[in-house]
Amino acid sequence: MAIRRRPRGTLDNPVTLGWVVQKDQRERFIEIAKRSEISAAVLFEMVVDHLELTDQGIPPWMPEKNRDGELPIDRD
């Protein structure tokens, strides 16, 4: 199985992710990428590009942010 990678030199503004994460989650992410036949970097970009967000700009499975001070929208 050949892993599809982005062609070299095709990124506009490349950066290295420097986050420290749990080893199990990192390995799971890499395994998902392998099963998808893409690199982990490409999978990360696809996840970000396809992540569903609420009107507050956060994933729907995250606790809703405090709405105190927001004006109500009249829907009539």
Side-chain angles (χ1 to χ4, degrees):
M1 158 179 19
I3 301 295
R4 288 182 293 140
R5 300 183 186 279
R6 183 185 318 97
R8 225 177 251 285
T10 59
L11 287 177
D12 292 331
N13 192 16
V15 296
T16 301
L17 301 177
W19 304 319
V20 177
V21 297
Q22 288 293 122
K23 183 178 181 183
D24 290 347
Q25 278 80 4
R26 179 183 180 274
E27 290 174 356
R28 182 174 179 213
F29 194 82
I30 291 169
E31 183 58 35
I32 293 167
K34 285 180 183 176
R35 283 194 304 252
S36 302
E37 298 182 1
I38 58 176
S39 69
V42 170
L43 178 61
F44 173 79
E45 291 173 350
M46 293 176 80
V47 167
V48 171
D49 288 345
H50 293 90
L51 186 61
E52 180 184 346
L53 300 176
T54 68
D55 65 326
Q56 294 182 316
I58 59 176
W61 40 265
M62 294 289 297
E64 189 173 277
K65 293 165 55 178
N66 186 333
R67 291 190 178 267
D68 287 349
E70 287 186 15
L71 297 174
I73 297 174
D74 186 9
R75 298 202 187 264
D76 294 330

